[in-house]
């Protein structure tokens, strides 16, 4: 895939995360990237293929060919595909390769994925991305976990990334992310529904004035607009993330109902935007 002095990197999944990380990684000398996405070769994948060509990322005809010879293999798919992709990749991963799982999946999902990957002899790096990637780009905060988290994080940080090892135990990094997501995505859902109800009854001004009096450090008009846009833009992905949070709660014998309701609300908000186009 690359010469002796080249750091070879592969992406399985070439959406927002894959493209953003590739742009940052390719700013380093001696980095070569190959990518595979299920949409490559289809009408729906034309935009992804154009992005790859513009960035200088080689499009591979299969995930296996994308990963051949890569030091780091990033899995950047949807949360519901994270475990399946890790299991499939385990069939061809080799010792010396590091599988970097950046998907927003439940701790138990990451643990099963890790078991599949490490059985191949490759290393598995749990990676919990803690914020949307577009603005910070490669510098987005990522919590990493696993026995090789320290060494792998140091190597990736030398390429400009921002990984912080938090545990040698798989699952803890993702638990930290998803526990936080219950609050963040829950607040978004609350604000979207609150604003919609206020508008329906023409009571936004007094309600937000009351909220501002209770929480004077928060501009609720700005917050509601910002959170509505976040849900409209990212609601489908955030809904999937909250279903992973619900799984996390269930595994811990905690009630998942609130997380599931937040997932439904995020999806409703996303659908409203799509219907308005």
């Amino acid at each position: 895939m690359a010469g002796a002095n080249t750091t070879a990197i592969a992406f399985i999944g070439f959406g927002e995360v894959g493209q953003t990380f590739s742009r940052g990684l390719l700013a380093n000398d001696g980095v070569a990237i190959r990518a595979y996405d299920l949409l490559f070769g289809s009408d729906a994948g034309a935009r992804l293929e154009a992005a790859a060509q513009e960035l200088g990322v080689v499009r591979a005809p299969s995930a296996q060919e994308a990963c051949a010879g890569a030091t780091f293999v990033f899995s950047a798919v949807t949360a519901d595909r994270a475990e399946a992709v890790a299991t499939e990749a385990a069939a061809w991963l080799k010792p010396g390769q590091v599988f970097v799982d950046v998907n927003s999946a439940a701790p138990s999902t990451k643990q099963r994925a890790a078991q599949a990957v490490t059985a191949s002899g490759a290393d598995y790096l749990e990676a919990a991305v803690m914020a949307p990637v577009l603005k910070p780009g490669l510098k987005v905060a990522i919590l990493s976990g696993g026995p090789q988290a320290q060494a792998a994080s140091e190597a990736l940080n030398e390429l400009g990334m921002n990984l912080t090892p938090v545990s040698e135990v798989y699952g803890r990094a993702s638990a930290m992310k998803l526990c936080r997501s219950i609050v963040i995505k829950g607040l978004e859902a609350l604000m979207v529904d609150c604003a919609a109800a206020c508008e329906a009854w023409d009571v936004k001004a007094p309600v937000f004035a009351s909220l501002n009096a209770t929480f004077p450090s928060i501009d609720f008009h700005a917050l509601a607009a910002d959170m509505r846009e976040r849900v409209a833009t990212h609601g489908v992905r955030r809904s999937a993330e909250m279903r992973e949070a619900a799984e996390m709660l269930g595994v811990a014998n905690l009630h998942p109902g609130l997380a599931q309701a937040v997932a439904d609300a995020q999806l409703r908000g996303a659908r409203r935007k799509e219907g308005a186009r």
Side-chain angles (χ1 to χ4, degrees):
M1 175 174 172
N5 297 320
T6 299
T7 300
I9 296 173
F11 279 89
I12 303 175
F14 200 64
E16 182 178 278
V17 171
Q19 293 171 38
T20 302
F21 284 3
S22 291
R23 183 176 293 106
L25 290 166
L26 286 168
N28 296 279
D29 291 335
V31 169
I33 298 179
R34 292 173 68 103
Y36 170 74
D37 194 285
L38 277 173
L39 296 178
F40 283 173
S42 69
D43 291 341
R47 181 181 58 81
L48 303 184
E49 294 181 19
Q53 183 173 2
E54 179 183 353
L55 290 169
V57 172
V58 176
R59 290 165 290 162
S62 69
Q64 182 174 0
E65 290 182 61
C67 298
T71 300
F72 296 102
V73 174
F74 283 82
S75 174
V77 293
T78 54
D80 61 334
R81 286 285 298 157
E83 184 179 352
V85 167
T87 301
E88 291 167 13
W92 64 74
L93 289 170
K94 300 182 183 306
Q97 292 186 295
V98 181
F99 187 88
V100 186
D101 191 339
V102 299
N103 301 297
S104 297
S108 53
T109 302
K110 294 286 183 96
Q111 290 169 344
R112 293 191 298 270
Q115 184 176 12
V117 168
T118 55
S120 73
D123 292 322
Y124 178 94
L125 182 67
E126 179 185 13
V129 182
M130 300 301 288
V133 301
L134 280 181
K135 289 184 179 179
L138 199 60
K139 287 295 185 183
V140 67
I142 299 175
L143 305 182
S144 60
Q148 304 303 319
Q150 185 68 44
S153 296
E154 288 177 0
L156 289 169
N157 287 348
E158 288 180 2
L159 296 174
M161 297 192 74
N162 181 23
L163 285 83
T164 301
V166 294
S167 178
E168 294 186 357
V169 177
Y170 293 124
R172 288 182 59 84
S174 294
M176 292 170 68
K177 172 187 172 69
L178 291 181
C179 287
R180 178 181 182 275
S181 292
I182 292 172
V183 174
I184 300 299
K185 276 65 176 182
L187 283 174
E188 290 173 350
L190 286 172
M191 286 307 304
V192 167
D193 277 7
C194 175
C198 287
E199 290 163 3
W201 289 95
D202 193 22
V203 294
K204 182 183 279 188
V207 169
F208 281 17
S210 175
L211 289 171
N212 284 330
T214 304
F215 302 100
S217 64
I218 301 174
D219 181 342
F220 278 90
H221 285 278
L223 184 66
D226 178 56
M227 288 190 165
R228 176 175 281 174
E229 179 58 29
R230 288 189 201 176
V231 173
T233 303
H234 304 293
V236 173
R237 184 170 69 236
R238 292 181 178 205
S239 175
E241 181 176 323
M242 288 310 298
R243 301 213 186 277
E244 294 296 312
E247 178 178 329
M248 174 186 70
L249 291 167
V251 168
N253 293 318
L254 299 172
H255 199 287
L258 178 58
Q260 291 169 342
V262 172
D264 292 341
Q266 289 276 347
L267 194 57
R268 284 197 305 272
R271 284 173 174 165
R272 275 199 295 272
K273 181 177 183 182
E274 290 167 1
R277 289 177 181 173

